[in-house]
Each structure stands twice: as C-alpha cells, then as structure tokens.
Amino acid sequence: MLDGRDYFIEQAGPLNLDSVLPGYDDIVMDIGFGTGEATAQMAVDEPQVAILAIDVHTPGIGDLLHRCAHTPLPNVRVMSADALEVLTALQQDSLAGVRTYFPDPWPKARHHKRRLIQQPVLDLMASRVRVAGFWHLATDWAEYADAMQVEFEAHPMWVGGVIARPDWRPTTRYERNGLSQGRQPIDLMYTRVSS
Ligand SMILES: C[S@@+](CC[C@H](N)C(=O)[O-])C[C@H]1O[C@@H](n2cnc3c(N)ncnc32)[C@H](O)[C@@H]1O
C-alpha cells in the first residue's frame, strides 16, 4: 500500500519511468490535469495503464494527491513541474501516449506564442512517444482546435485529426465549466508515425 507521499515525484535530472512506475508496459503522460478528477477516473478505468500526471498548479496537485491516497491509485504518479522540462528529462520512446485535455487557450493573438501546441513541442513529444503511440487532446476553443490541426499537419511524425468525443473520456472540470457557458469540446487524436 502506497503512502500519500509515494505518489509524488521530485524531478532531479533524467527521469527513468521504469523506476518510478515499474512493471507497466504502457505509461501515459497527462499534461495539465487541473484538479485531477478525470485523471483519477481514467486510472481506475484502465488499471493496467500507468499515468505520469504533470501540472504546475499547486492546489490541483494537492487535489490529485488526495485522490491517489484515498482511492488508492497505484498506477498514478504526480509531478509539480513544467511539462516541457519533464519531457526533456524522459528517455526517448518512453511514453505510450499523451493526454492534454483543455490546455490553456491563450485566446488573445498576442498570447498565442504561449500556447503549448507548437512545432518545437511536437518535435519533443515525437521523440518521447514511441511509434504507434498517441496524443489525445481536447479543447473548447474552436480557433485553438484549428491552430492545433495546422501545427500537426505541418509535422511529419504525427497523423490524425478531429474525432468524435469518446464517451470513455471523463468530463473534466474545465470542460464542465465551458459547457455551462455554451462551449463545446473538440477532441483530436494523433498517432506517432516514423519519419
Ligand atoms: C485550462 S486548465 C485545464 C485543466 C484540466 N485539464 C481540466 O480540463 O479541467 C490547464 C491546466 O494546465 C496547467 N498547465 C499550464 N501550463 C503547464 C505546463 N507548462 N506544464 C504543466 N501543466 C501546465 C495549468 O496549471 C492548468 O491546470
């Protein structure tokens, strides 16, 4: 039985996923989990898949650690870190997939450069996700969904596009808030291909 603190990983240099989540063939990175409600539900739904959950928002990290300790969720590890720094610290081809549900939309044009989905990040992610691995994204900002598609279509190592919202994806807190304001989620699924 894991203690609450055992779910939390302090990053210091290169990160070997086999040592922090031993025994799992499939390790998925969850970038920007918010309160971790959907992360915890997916961990329960797929106990054979390990989740490396990353966020920078301290209260949300506390929420997910609380869920881990109380459910419990042995297939989850939580990090308080910039996702790009964690990706850089990972070994090549170490991820079976990535989930990025409702990344900050940065709707103002002058802030678009802060968006996560950009060519350098697609490059880095392609090196960390193994061939045939996935990147599942969702956003409720239609313009960001369009911009994501432009970025992915310009990249040689990702193929895919918009999909119907899978009913196995739990509704996230941010999504629920958007729905209450009339925004509809758009899901996108990409597969990592060899160049
Ligand atoms: C709009 S919220 C969505 C949260 C959650 N996925 C949901 O749908 O409820 C975006 C989340 O991404 C996190 N985030 C932003 N930049 C990040 C980064 N560089 N690395 C990790 N997480 C980040 C934020 O702290 C926030 O929790």
Side-chain angles (χ1 to χ4, degrees), residues 30-35 54-57 81-84 100-105 116 172-175:
D30 184 340
I31 298 178
F33 55 78
T35 59
I54 317 287
D55 207 302
V56 290
H57 184 59
D82 181 325
L84 300 185
T100 311
Y101 298 152
F102 305 94
D104 291 323
L116 179 70
T172 75
R173 182 169 169 170
Y174 183 90
E175 179 179 19

mmCIF file of all heavy atoms in Angstrom, residues 30-35 54-57 81-84 100-105 116 172-175, ligand 1:
data_model
loop_
_atom_site.group_PDB
_atom_site.id
_atom_site.type_symbol
_atom_site.label_atom_id
_atom_site.label_comp_id
_atom_site.label_asym_id
_atom_site.label_seq_id
_atom_site.Cartn_x
_atom_site.Cartn_y
_atom_site.Cartn_z
ATOM 1 N N ASP A 30 -0.018 12.779 -18.621
ATOM 2 C CA ASP A 30 -1.217 13.626 -18.578
ATOM 3 C C ASP A 30 -0.737 15.043 -18.256
ATOM 4 O O ASP A 30 -0.301 15.316 -17.142
ATOM 5 C CB ASP A 30 -2.155 13.088 -17.492
ATOM 6 C CG ASP A 30 -3.478 13.828 -17.423
ATOM 7 O OD1 ASP A 30 -3.551 14.963 -17.923
ATOM 8 O OD2 ASP A 30 -4.431 13.271 -16.854
ATOM 9 N N ILE A 31 -0.815 15.909 -19.257
ATOM 10 C CA ILE A 31 -0.269 17.272 -19.109
ATOM 11 C C ILE A 31 -1.379 18.247 -18.718
ATOM 12 O O ILE A 31 -2.351 18.405 -19.449
ATOM 13 C CB ILE A 31 0.382 17.738 -20.426
ATOM 14 C CG1 ILE A 31 1.547 16.828 -20.801
ATOM 15 C CG2 ILE A 31 0.840 19.189 -20.311
ATOM 16 C CD1 ILE A 31 2.208 17.188 -22.114
ATOM 17 N N GLY A 32 -1.222 18.897 -17.575
ATOM 18 C CA GLY A 32 -2.196 19.917 -17.160
ATOM 19 C C GLY A 32 -3.485 19.294 -16.686
ATOM 20 O O GLY A 32 -4.560 19.570 -17.225
ATOM 21 N N PHE A 33 -3.402 18.484 -15.615
ATOM 22 C CA PHE A 33 -4.581 17.701 -15.174
ATOM 23 C C PHE A 33 -5.574 18.524 -14.357
ATOM 24 O O PHE A 33 -6.665 18.048 -14.060
ATOM 25 C CB PHE A 33 -4.139 16.458 -14.393
ATOM 26 C CG PHE A 33 -3.242 16.745 -13.219
ATOM 27 C CD1 PHE A 33 -3.762 17.234 -12.026
ATOM 28 C CD2 PHE A 33 -1.876 16.522 -13.306
ATOM 29 C CE1 PHE A 33 -2.936 17.500 -10.944
ATOM 30 C CE2 PHE A 33 -1.045 16.788 -12.221
ATOM 31 C CZ PHE A 33 -1.575 17.280 -11.041
ATOM 32 N N GLY A 34 -5.219 19.761 -13.987
ATOM 33 C CA GLY A 34 -6.170 20.592 -13.231
ATOM 34 C C GLY A 34 -6.388 20.040 -11.829
ATOM 35 O O GLY A 34 -5.450 19.939 -11.040
ATOM 36 N N THR A 35 -7.621 19.651 -11.536
ATOM 37 C CA THR A 35 -7.918 19.065 -10.222
ATOM 38 C C THR A 35 -7.672 17.559 -10.204
ATOM 39 O O THR A 35 -7.754 16.944 -9.142
ATOM 40 C CB THR A 35 -9.387 19.301 -9.842
ATOM 41 O OG1 THR A 35 -10.202 18.698 -10.844
ATOM 42 C CG2 THR A 35 -9.707 20.778 -9.735
ATOM 43 N N ILE A 54 1.219 15.601 -14.741
ATOM 44 C CA ILE A 54 2.067 16.790 -14.574
ATOM 45 C C ILE A 54 1.201 18.042 -14.529
ATOM 46 O O ILE A 54 0.343 18.227 -15.395
ATOM 47 C CB ILE A 54 3.021 16.969 -15.791
ATOM 48 C CG1 ILE A 54 3.646 15.654 -16.239
ATOM 49 C CG2 ILE A 54 4.050 18.053 -15.533
ATOM 50 C CD1 ILE A 54 4.680 15.120 -15.350
ATOM 51 N N ASP A 55 1.457 18.886 -13.577
ATOM 52 C CA ASP A 55 0.820 20.218 -13.571
ATOM 53 C C ASP A 55 1.705 21.170 -12.780
ATOM 54 O O ASP A 55 2.623 20.720 -12.084
ATOM 55 C CB ASP A 55 -0.607 20.163 -12.978
ATOM 56 C CG ASP A 55 -1.495 21.272 -13.531
ATOM 57 O OD1 ASP A 55 -1.140 22.460 -13.377
ATOM 58 O OD2 ASP A 55 -2.550 20.976 -14.134
ATOM 59 N N VAL A 56 1.398 22.453 -12.937
ATOM 60 C CA VAL A 56 2.181 23.468 -12.217
ATOM 61 C C VAL A 56 1.338 24.163 -11.145
ATOM 62 O O VAL A 56 1.841 25.019 -10.423
ATOM 63 C CB VAL A 56 2.741 24.537 -13.196
ATOM 64 C CG1 VAL A 56 3.832 23.956 -14.065
ATOM 65 C CG2 VAL A 56 1.625 25.143 -14.052
ATOM 66 N N HIS A 57 0.062 23.799 -11.067
ATOM 67 C CA HIS A 57 -0.878 24.484 -10.183
ATOM 68 C C HIS A 57 -0.973 23.746 -8.845
ATOM 69 O O HIS A 57 -1.532 22.650 -8.766
ATOM 70 C CB HIS A 57 -2.250 24.531 -10.881
ATOM 71 C CG HIS A 57 -3.289 25.289 -10.124
ATOM 72 N ND1 HIS A 57 -3.141 26.613 -9.797
ATOM 73 C CD2 HIS A 57 -4.489 24.908 -9.634
ATOM 74 C CE1 HIS A 57 -4.217 27.023 -9.146
ATOM 75 N NE2 HIS A 57 -5.042 25.997 -9.025
ATOM 76 N N ALA A 81 5.594 20.331 -12.003
ATOM 77 C CA ALA A 81 6.690 20.747 -12.887
ATOM 78 C C ALA A 81 6.130 21.214 -14.218
ATOM 79 O O ALA A 81 4.991 20.895 -14.584
ATOM 80 C CB ALA A 81 7.636 19.564 -13.128
ATOM 81 N N ASP A 82 6.947 21.941 -14.934
ATOM 82 C CA ASP A 82 6.623 22.325 -16.307
ATOM 83 C C ASP A 82 6.717 21.064 -17.176
ATOM 84 O O ASP A 82 7.748 20.375 -17.171
ATOM 85 C CB ASP A 82 7.646 23.376 -16.751
ATOM 86 C CG ASP A 82 7.395 23.882 -18.160
ATOM 87 O OD1 ASP A 82 6.949 23.089 -19.012
ATOM 88 O OD2 ASP A 82 7.660 25.057 -18.412
ATOM 89 N N ALA A 83 5.664 20.786 -17.912
ATOM 90 C CA ALA A 83 5.626 19.560 -18.707
ATOM 91 C C ALA A 83 6.800 19.462 -19.684
ATOM 92 O O ALA A 83 7.313 18.366 -19.944
ATOM 93 C CB ALA A 83 4.308 19.482 -19.468
ATOM 94 N N LEU A 84 7.238 20.607 -20.201
ATOM 95 C CA LEU A 84 8.333 20.556 -21.178
ATOM 96 C C LEU A 84 9.646 20.149 -20.516
ATOM 97 O O LEU A 84 10.456 19.436 -21.109
ATOM 98 C CB LEU A 84 8.485 21.911 -21.888
ATOM 99 C CG LEU A 84 7.246 22.359 -22.665
ATOM 100 C CD1 LEU A 84 7.518 23.640 -23.423
ATOM 101 C CD2 LEU A 84 6.768 21.263 -23.618
ATOM 102 N N THR A 100 -3.684 15.644 -23.290
ATOM 103 C CA THR A 100 -3.657 17.084 -22.996
ATOM 104 C C THR A 100 -5.083 17.585 -23.145
ATOM 105 O O THR A 100 -5.544 17.890 -24.253
ATOM 106 C CB THR A 100 -2.712 17.841 -23.959
ATOM 107 O OG1 THR A 100 -1.446 17.165 -24.016
ATOM 108 C CG2 THR A 100 -2.464 19.263 -23.474
ATOM 109 N N TYR A 101 -5.779 17.591 -22.028
ATOM 110 C CA TYR A 101 -7.188 17.963 -22.059
ATOM 111 C C TYR A 101 -7.361 19.410 -21.594
ATOM 112 O O TYR A 101 -7.042 19.752 -20.479
ATOM 113 C CB TYR A 101 -8.002 17.033 -21.159
ATOM 114 C CG TYR A 101 -7.964 15.571 -21.587
ATOM 115 C CD1 TYR A 101 -8.113 14.555 -20.653
ATOM 116 C CD2 TYR A 101 -7.772 15.213 -22.928
ATOM 117 C CE1 TYR A 101 -8.090 13.216 -21.041
ATOM 118 C CE2 TYR A 101 -7.742 13.883 -23.319
ATOM 119 C CZ TYR A 101 -7.898 12.886 -22.376
ATOM 120 O OH TYR A 101 -7.868 11.571 -22.749
ATOM 121 N N PHE A 102 -7.803 20.221 -22.532
ATOM 122 C CA PHE A 102 -8.096 21.633 -22.275
ATOM 123 C C PHE A 102 -6.860 22.414 -21.804
ATOM 124 O O PHE A 102 -6.847 22.992 -20.712
ATOM 125 C CB PHE A 102 -9.298 21.756 -21.304
ATOM 126 C CG PHE A 102 -10.483 21.002 -21.840
ATOM 127 C CD1 PHE A 102 -10.716 19.688 -21.447
ATOM 128 C CD2 PHE A 102 -11.301 21.564 -22.803
ATOM 129 C CE1 PHE A 102 -11.758 18.947 -21.995
ATOM 130 C CE2 PHE A 102 -12.347 20.830 -23.354
ATOM 131 C CZ PHE A 102 -12.578 19.521 -22.942
ATOM 132 N N PRO A 103 -5.830 22.415 -22.649
ATOM 133 C CA PRO A 103 -4.662 23.256 -22.333
ATOM 134 C C PRO A 103 -5.086 24.729 -22.329
ATOM 135 O O PRO A 103 -6.064 25.104 -22.998
ATOM 136 C CB PRO A 103 -3.699 22.963 -23.501
ATOM 137 C CG PRO A 103 -4.580 22.513 -24.628
ATOM 138 C CD PRO A 103 -5.733 21.783 -23.976
ATOM 139 N N ASP A 104 -4.363 25.541 -21.591
ATOM 140 C CA ASP A 104 -4.703 26.967 -21.533
ATOM 141 C C ASP A 104 -4.834 27.507 -22.954
ATOM 142 O O ASP A 104 -3.895 27.383 -23.752
ATOM 143 C CB ASP A 104 -3.614 27.732 -20.775
ATOM 144 C CG ASP A 104 -3.609 27.375 -19.287
ATOM 145 O OD1 ASP A 104 -4.691 27.180 -18.713
ATOM 146 O OD2 ASP A 104 -2.504 27.272 -18.714
ATOM 147 N N PRO A 105 -5.984 28.121 -23.294
ATOM 148 C CA PRO A 105 -6.210 28.505 -24.708
ATOM 149 C C PRO A 105 -5.493 29.768 -25.160
ATOM 150 O O PRO A 105 -5.295 29.949 -26.355
ATOM 151 C CB PRO A 105 -7.735 28.697 -24.765
ATOM 152 C CG PRO A 105 -8.156 29.011 -23.367
ATOM 153 C CD PRO A 105 -7.193 28.300 -22.455
ATOM 154 N N LEU A 116 0.730 25.716 -25.852
ATOM 155 C CA LEU A 116 1.552 24.505 -25.777
ATOM 156 C C LEU A 116 1.776 23.877 -27.158
ATOM 157 O O LEU A 116 2.869 23.366 -27.442
ATOM 158 C CB LEU A 116 0.850 23.483 -24.856
ATOM 159 C CG LEU A 116 1.557 22.152 -24.682
ATOM 160 C CD1 LEU A 116 2.827 22.320 -23.851
ATOM 161 C CD2 LEU A 116 0.639 21.135 -24.014
ATOM 162 N N THR A 172 -13.998 16.782 -17.834
ATOM 163 C CA THR A 172 -13.097 17.457 -16.887
ATOM 164 C C THR A 172 -13.821 18.652 -16.266
ATOM 165 O O THR A 172 -14.848 19.119 -16.760
ATOM 166 C CB THR A 172 -11.811 17.959 -17.575
ATOM 167 O OG1 THR A 172 -12.118 19.125 -18.335
ATOM 168 C CG2 THR A 172 -11.175 16.889 -18.458
ATOM 169 N N ARG A 173 -13.225 19.164 -15.221
ATOM 170 C CA ARG A 173 -13.834 20.323 -14.547
ATOM 171 C C ARG A 173 -13.891 21.542 -15.476
ATOM 172 O O ARG A 173 -14.887 22.247 -15.552
ATOM 173 C CB ARG A 173 -13.007 20.637 -13.301
ATOM 174 C CG ARG A 173 -13.575 21.764 -12.519
ATOM 175 C CD ARG A 173 -12.893 21.861 -11.202
ATOM 176 N NE ARG A 173 -13.263 23.087 -10.550
ATOM 177 C CZ ARG A 173 -12.970 23.364 -9.296
ATOM 178 N NH1 ARG A 173 -12.325 22.504 -8.572
ATOM 179 N NH2 ARG A 173 -13.319 24.502 -8.772
ATOM 180 N N TYR A 174 -12.799 21.772 -16.185
ATOM 181 C CA TYR A 174 -12.749 22.914 -17.110
ATOM 182 C C TYR A 174 -13.787 22.745 -18.219
ATOM 183 O O TYR A 174 -14.476 23.695 -18.606
ATOM 184 C CB TYR A 174 -11.344 23.014 -17.702
ATOM 185 C CG TYR A 174 -11.126 24.190 -18.610
ATOM 186 C CD1 TYR A 174 -10.677 25.408 -18.115
ATOM 187 C CD2 TYR A 174 -11.373 24.094 -19.980
ATOM 188 C CE1 TYR A 174 -10.481 26.490 -18.949
ATOM 189 C CE2 TYR A 174 -11.192 25.170 -20.819
ATOM 190 C CZ TYR A 174 -10.740 26.362 -20.305
ATOM 191 O OH TYR A 174 -10.549 27.440 -21.141
ATOM 192 N N GLU A 175 -13.905 21.514 -18.706
ATOM 193 C CA GLU A 175 -14.881 21.224 -19.763
ATOM 194 C C GLU A 175 -16.312 21.503 -19.279
ATOM 195 O O GLU A 175 -17.117 22.097 -19.996
ATOM 196 C CB GLU A 175 -14.724 19.743 -20.151
ATOM 197 C CG GLU A 175 -15.687 19.260 -21.218
ATOM 198 C CD GLU A 175 -15.430 17.791 -21.558
ATOM 199 O OE1 GLU A 175 -14.786 17.074 -20.748
ATOM 200 O OE2 GLU A 175 -15.879 17.367 -22.635
HETATM 201 C C1 LIG B 1 -7.298 25.179 -18.613
HETATM 202 S S1 LIG B 1 -6.601 24.192 -17.359
HETATM 203 C C2 LIG B 1 -7.336 22.590 -17.684
HETATM 204 C C3 LIG B 1 -7.202 21.643 -16.536
HETATM 205 C C4 LIG B 1 -7.822 20.260 -16.723
HETATM 206 N N1 LIG B 1 -7.180 19.527 -17.798
HETATM 207 C C5 LIG B 1 -9.300 20.342 -16.976
HETATM 208 O O1 LIG B 1 -9.718 20.125 -18.127
HETATM 209 O O2 LIG B 1 -10.025 20.632 -16.022
HETATM 210 C C6 LIG B 1 -4.935 23.985 -17.933
HETATM 211 C C7 LIG B 1 -4.031 23.331 -16.921
HETATM 212 O O3 LIG B 1 -2.722 23.229 -17.491
HETATM 213 C C8 LIG B 1 -1.770 23.519 -16.477
HETATM 214 N N2 LIG B 1 -0.525 23.954 -17.124
HETATM 215 C C9 LIG B 1 -0.297 25.108 -17.769
HETATM 216 N N3 LIG B 1 0.960 25.144 -18.237
HETATM 217 C C10 LIG B 1 1.551 23.984 -17.869
HETATM 218 C C11 LIG B 1 2.858 23.449 -18.038
HETATM 219 N N4 LIG B 1 3.815 24.122 -18.692
HETATM 220 N N5 LIG B 1 3.117 22.224 -17.540
HETATM 221 C C12 LIG B 1 2.165 21.535 -16.882
HETATM 222 N N6 LIG B 1 0.905 21.990 -16.692
HETATM 223 C C13 LIG B 1 0.605 23.215 -17.164
HETATM 224 C C14 LIG B 1 -2.449 24.592 -15.636
HETATM 225 O O4 LIG B 1 -1.876 24.697 -14.333
HETATM 226 C C15 LIG B 1 -3.888 24.085 -15.605
HETATM 227 O O5 LIG B 1 -4.114 23.190 -14.528
#
